[in-house]
Amino acid sequence: MKVAVLGFGTVGVGVYEMLGQAEGLEQGTVLVRAGKNDAAFKRTSIEDIISDPEIWAVAEVMGGIEPAFSYASAVLKAGKHFVTSNKALVAEKGLELSKLAYENNAGFMFSAACGGAVPILHNLSLAVESDKILSISGILNGTTNYILDSMQRLGLDYEEALKDAQRLGYAEADPAADVSGMDALRKIMLACAVAYNMLPTEGLLNEGIENITAEDVKHFMVRGYTCRLMVRGGRTDESVYAYVEPVLFRAGAPECSVMQNNNMACYEGENSGRISIIGQGAGRYPTASAVLRDLSGILSGRKYMLRENCRAVKAENDKFKQLYYVRLPEAMASLIPAESVDVENKTARLITKPLSVQEMHSKAAEIRKNGGKIFFAEIGG
Amino acid sequence: MKVAVLGFGTVGVGVYEMLGQAEGLEQGTVLVRAGKNDAAFKRTSIEDIISDPEIWAVAEVMGGIEPAFSYASAVLKAGKHFVTSNKALVAEKGLELSKLAYENNAGFMFSAACGGAVPILHNLSLAVESDKILSISGILNGTTNYILDSMQRLGLDYEEALKDAQRLGYAEADPAADVSGMDALRKIMLACAVAYNMLPTEGLLNEGIENITAEDVKHFMVRGYTCRLMVRGGRTDESVYAYVEPVLFRAGAPECSVMQNNNMACYEGENSGRISIIGQGAGRYPTASAVLRDLSGILSGRKYMLRENCRAVKAENDKFKQLYYVRLPEAMASLIPAESVDVENKTARLITKPLSVQEMHSKAAEIRKNGGKIFFAEIGG
């Protein structure tokens, strides 16, 4: 079956190469920008791909909402299967695309958009048919894991670690989407949609790692903690919770052994128990391998990861309380309800009383509004 | 679709319960021993199940080769799908059953036989369609992991740790299949069959943990090593390698954070990179969840894990060399080519020169034949 590829950047080249070796799949045409069609298999018009009856499926690896969304809609309306690695597209337009896919009996899969080579969506999608997913968590952003791991293992400060990551190609020139937690947030949105048939589109919270310092990391290490940027999702009575924030883990926790730019995705099934999957979350071939896995899946009959009746919901991040580590100016420490406070050089480090995610993120926003520098992290397992 | 269950022990009860809640699947009848048919859904004759046109698939969770093999053959000949958690059955009779399955257009899946809730076979089976599997490894026996973990974390000796495991239901009254590595060996046989289309049935090697002592563990710990019983498999030019042996890992290796009776299964894909999956390898609901996952898979069109042309091969365990830690009587130390030797109280502890798995296992057999007590472990990553 011939597969067209939209985009011929890092991942696109990988997908095209892998199509040349996959069972039952074949290299189709590749959509490139005008002026880049320097080979017979390249096209510059999406129409050429949509109208080609030999094209059985289309893999989109361009990124961005437009023109990806217009292309995806046209592909699905033409009854061709659509596979994507584009998390922004699925987070924003996934329900519309899913509707089009079901209407036109075309497959719609997006494994590569959450976890890269880590087959979390694929396994969640199969598990929900016979098991109840109690919760989802994970390290789903390799850039921030690389930075946190370097800070801890090499003693670098945040800026140095970020520059290292950029030099090695693990972080983009503009790292904002990664370090703010936005990239990871989109992934937990998709995982919730697959696991709970609800795509959280409002009420989401993300705290990134831009505010962590070498001092914070030293402080964690002497106490036996390792900091990781975690996604968390799960059911509430009416909706789901879904958020991203730094979490401190005790030595020996599996999260601590996720090194460099690796990802780890976990779910807790009522029957299966906790399943954790570790691997590369980005990169040419790891991401391409996830795109190919979806195509093989469609070929063997599994066409969807989202249900036909999946709906958008507002996330509820105020249902559970937990403890946080907070570092902020001494003068503002009284704004946070604390179990214990340590002050040194006008900096307060405190352990909070139990707070909901919503409460903690609101407090931090309030402090920042007043010009205070704050870093916080959930105290995990 | 109605699913019959053969066997109503620990796992059988779990499968039956989960069938009551799974999408698209329904509880069928359950085969029990004569005299145990104390409920309307129970049957004592396999004929009643095979001849029932309402039964779409059969899940076998009895264990043992016979009568499981006769039952499985009859089920497949009747064109019904067959799913099993029985690793001995698949290791010994898998190719025959696979032939019957293809001949009768019936599905044949056995996820639960390797890794329990850990979906390694399922993910390997999908990955091989577009990726090349470079190697497989893992901790695939929860009993031995529990024993090794207890010895290290609680300082127990082998007998104490085994008794604890038995008391908690993690080890059977006769633990031989687990502690000898035979159980784990069957699992790597199955994983090789799925990943390489070759089922190794000869030339296999397994060294278990019966010979480890509290002294060995102390010795590892002061040097920063953790011992795990590992399976390893991969391609050679003509065949595959497949073996089980204790391996020492440096602190921080992901294997060290696999605690208690958990399993970890890994594969290295040429494109995906290394994927590791951690979870419960045994127990009622974890194992049942794997059986259900196979049934959901068949329902959506993936009926096979083995190819139609999968063949039996002799494993080649003499192709790669590695270093080993060996503890044996001082008087026999000269039988092992060593890089370094430490002697204390007539016991020698040595690091070998590079040896193939075949060479190391042969040396150990020779020493045991001469009445020497020996423990050895590969020096891993």
Side-chain angles (χ1 to χ4, degrees):
Chain A
M1 299 300 210
K2 280 200 178 168
V3 180
V5 183
L6 310 186
F8 206 54
T10 304
V11 179
V13 169
V15 170
Y16 188 74
E17 283 180 26
M18 284 189 74
L19 283 169
Q21 290 154 13
E23 278 174 41
L25 301 173
E26 275 178 78
Q27 291 168 329
T29 44
V30 173
L31 186 75
V32 295
R33 271 169 297 175
K36 297 276 186 181
N37 51 337
D38 52 7
F41 65 89
K42 296 185 184 172
R43 300 286 179 279
T44 55
S45 157
I46 185 75
E47 280 312 315
D48 288 352
I49 287 171
I50 288 160
S51 62
D52 183 346
E54 288 207 344
I55 298 295
W56 166 79
V58 173
E60 183 268 313
V61 291
M62 313 182 330
I65 305 293
E66 280 298 347
F69 176 61
S70 303
Y71 292 177
S73 305
V75 164
L76 289 166
K77 282 179 186 157
K80 296 182 194 297
H81 306 299
F82 179 73
V83 169
T84 181
S85 63
N86 187 334
K87 54 194 129 346
L89 175 69
V90 184
E92 192 161 317
K93 301 287 190 182
L95 298 185
E96 282 177 69
L97 292 175
S98 181
K99 191 160 173 285
L100 279 178
Y102 278 100
E103 280 171 7
N104 294 282
N105 197 27
F108 172 39
M109 304 274 271
F110 46 87
S111 285
C114 175
V118 173
I120 179 65
L121 294 189
H122 173 75
N123 282 283
L124 273 177
S125 146
L126 194 55
V128 291
E129 292 173 17
S130 57
D131 206 352
K132 188 174 154 189
I133 309 301
L134 302 176
S135 64
I136 306 166
S137 68
I139 297 167
L140 289 180
N141 181 275
T143 305
T144 47
N145 203 65
Y146 186 86
I147 293 171
L148 292 171
D149 186 37
S150 301
M151 289 179 75
Q152 172 153 345
R153 287 200 298 158
L154 310 175
L156 304 184
D157 70 24
Y158 174 78
E159 290 299 335
E160 288 170 323
L162 172 59
K163 268 184 202 135
D164 260 15
Q166 286 170 323
R167 194 170 43 77
L168 292 163
Y170 298 156
E172 298 182 41
D174 176 2
D178 290 319
V179 299
S180 68
M182 182 46 86
D183 171 86
L185 189 69
R186 288 182 181 131
K187 292 170 181 169
I188 189 66
M189 290 166 70
L190 303 191
C192 284
V194 172
Y196 303 116
N197 205 22
M198 289 185 264
L199 175 70
T201 53
E202 290 176 83
L204 297 153
L205 294 171
N206 60 300
E207 172 75 13
I209 61 161
E210 307 100 317
N211 302 301
I212 196 170
T213 63
E215 273 301 307
D216 290 323
V217 174
K218 254 184 239 162
H219 194 79
F220 305 150
M221 283 175 74
V222 297
R223 285 158 182 78
Y225 283 103
T226 293
C227 183
R228 293 289 181 248
L229 186 65
M230 296 293 291
V231 306
R232 293 198 190 275
R235 279 300 310 265
T236 57
D237 287 344
E238 303 287 322
S239 172
V240 297
Y241 62 90
Y243 61 89
V244 174
E245 64 188 18
V247 178
L248 302 181
F249 291 97
R250 273 191 196 285
E255 285 80 0
C256 303
S257 65
V258 179
M259 303 294 185
Q260 301 199 339
N261 63 335
N262 276 292
N263 280 21
M264 171 163 87
C266 308
Y267 69 88
E268 175 95 23
E270 186 173 49
N271 291 294
S272 67
R274 180 177 156 117
I275 304 281
S276 307
I277 316 181
I278 302 167
Q280 282 289 309
R284 168 172 290 178
Y285 296 108
T287 307
S289 78
V291 171
L292 269 282
R293 199 166 47 206
D294 282 355
L295 290 165
S296 293
I298 293 176
L299 200 58
S300 65
R302 284 191 75 86
K303 297 201 294 188
Y304 303 108
M305 314 196 113
L306 294 180
R307 308 302 178 94
E308 200 163 0
N309 61 351
C310 183
R311 64 196 167 90
V313 295
K314 181 174 177 180
E316 297 185 318
N317 287 318
D318 57 352
K319 299 295 179 191
F320 307 103
K321 289 185 190 286
Q322 48 202 356
L323 303 183
Y324 286 90
Y325 159 93
V326 180
R327 184 256 306 146
L328 79 175
E330 181 186 2
M332 290 176 164
S334 62
L335 294 172
I336 310 269
E339 287 287 355
S340 68
V341 187
D342 245 4
V343 178
E344 202 178 347
N345 297 332
K346 299 194 176 167
T347 295
R349 294 175 195 277
L350 52 85
I351 305 299
T352 66
K353 290 188 185 296
L355 294 175
S356 72
V357 178
Q358 179 74 62
E359 285 167 340
M360 184 65 241
H361 287 241
S362 298
K363 293 275 181 201
E366 187 188 332
I367 285 160
R368 285 178 187 140
K369 215 169 131 193
N370 292 320
K373 284 189 180 169
I374 177 172
F375 172 80
F376 69 87
E378 182 186 320
I379 298 177
Chain B
M1 299 298 209
K2 280 200 178 166
V3 180
V5 183
L6 309 187
F8 206 54
T10 304
V11 180
V13 170
V15 171
Y16 189 74
E17 283 180 26
M18 285 188 74
L19 283 169
Q21 291 155 13
E23 278 175 42
L25 301 173
E26 275 179 78
Q27 292 168 328
T29 44
V30 173
L31 186 74
V32 295
R33 273 169 296 176
K36 298 274 188 181
N37 51 335
D38 53 6
F41 64 90
K42 296 185 184 172
R43 299 286 179 277
T44 55
S45 156
I46 185 75
E47 280 312 316
D48 288 353
I49 287 171
I50 288 160
S51 62
D52 183 346
E54 287 207 345
I55 298 296
W56 166 79
V58 173
E60 183 269 311
V61 291
M62 313 181 330
I65 305 293
E66 281 296 350
F69 177 61
S70 303
Y71 292 177
S73 306
V75 165
L76 289 167
K77 282 178 187 158
K80 296 181 195 297
H81 306 300
F82 179 73
V83 169
T84 180
S85 64
N86 187 336
K87 53 195 132 340
L89 176 69
V90 184
E92 192 161 319
K93 302 286 189 181
L95 297 186
E96 281 177 69
L97 292 176
S98 181
K99 193 161 171 282
L100 279 177
Y102 278 101
E103 280 171 8
N104 294 283
N105 197 26
F108 172 39
M109 304 274 271
F110 46 87
S111 284
C114 175
V118 173
I120 180 64
L121 294 188
H122 173 75
N123 282 282
L124 274 177
S125 146
L126 194 55
V128 292
E129 291 173 18
S130 58
D131 205 352
K132 188 174 154 189
I133 309 301
L134 303 176
S135 64
I136 307 166
S137 68
I139 297 167
L140 290 180
N141 181 276
T143 306
T144 47
N145 203 66
Y146 186 86
I147 293 171
L148 292 171
D149 186 37
S150 300
M151 289 180 76
Q152 171 153 345
R153 287 198 298 156
L154 311 176
L156 303 185
D157 69 25
Y158 174 77
E159 290 299 334
E160 287 171 323
L162 172 59
K163 267 184 205 138
D164 260 15
Q166 286 170 323
R167 195 170 43 78
L168 291 164
Y170 297 157
E172 297 181 41
D174 175 3
D178 291 319
V179 298
S180 67
M182 181 48 83
D183 172 86
L185 189 69
R186 288 184 181 129
K187 291 169 180 169
I188 189 66
M189 290 166 69
L190 303 191
C192 284
V194 172
Y196 302 116
N197 205 23
M198 289 185 265
L199 175 70
T201 53
E202 290 175 82
L204 297 153
L205 294 171
N206 60 300
E207 173 74 12
I209 61 160
E210 308 101 316
N211 301 300
I212 196 170
T213 62
E215 273 301 306
D216 291 322
V217 173
K218 255 183 237 160
H219 194 80
F220 305 149
M221 284 176 73
V222 297
R223 285 159 182 79
Y225 283 103
T226 294
C227 184
R228 294 289 182 247
L229 185 67
M230 296 293 290
V231 306
R232 293 199 191 275
R235 278 302 308 266
T236 57
D237 288 344
E238 304 286 324
S239 172
V240 298
Y241 61 89
Y243 61 89
V244 174
E245 63 187 19
V247 178
L248 302 181
F249 291 97
R250 273 191 197 286
E255 285 80 0
C256 304
S257 65
V258 180
M259 302 295 185
Q260 301 200 339
N261 63 335
N262 275 291
N263 280 21
M264 173 162 86
C266 309
Y267 69 88
E268 176 94 24
E270 185 173 52
N271 291 296
S272 66
R274 180 178 156 116
I275 304 281
S276 307
I277 316 180
I278 301 167
Q280 281 290 309
R284 168 172 290 176
Y285 295 108
T287 307
S289 77
V291 172
L292 270 283
R293 199 166 48 206
D294 281 355
L295 291 165
S296 294
I298 293 176
L299 199 59
S300 66
R302 285 191 75 85
K303 296 201 294 188
Y304 303 107
M305 314 196 113
L306 293 181
R307 308 302 177 94
E308 201 163 359
N309 62 350
C310 183
R311 63 194 168 91
V313 295
K314 181 175 177 181
E316 297 185 319
N317 287 318
D318 56 352
K319 299 295 179 193
F320 307 104
K321 289 183 190 287
Q322 49 201 357
L323 303 183
Y324 286 89
Y325 159 91
V326 180
R327 183 256 305 146
L328 79 176
E330 181 187 3
M332 290 176 165
S334 62
L335 294 171
I336 311 268
E339 288 287 354
S340 69
V341 187
D342 244 7
V343 178
E344 203 178 345
N345 297 332
K346 299 193 176 167
T347 295
R349 294 176 194 278
L350 51 85
I351 306 299
T352 67
K353 290 187 185 298
L355 294 175
S356 73
V357 178
Q358 179 75 62
E359 285 166 340
M360 184 65 241
H361 286 242
S362 299
K363 292 277 182 202
E366 187 188 333
I367 284 159
R368 284 177 188 142
K369 214 170 130 192
N370 291 319
K373 284 190 179 168
I374 176 171
F375 173 80
F376 68 87
E378 183 186 319
I379 298 177

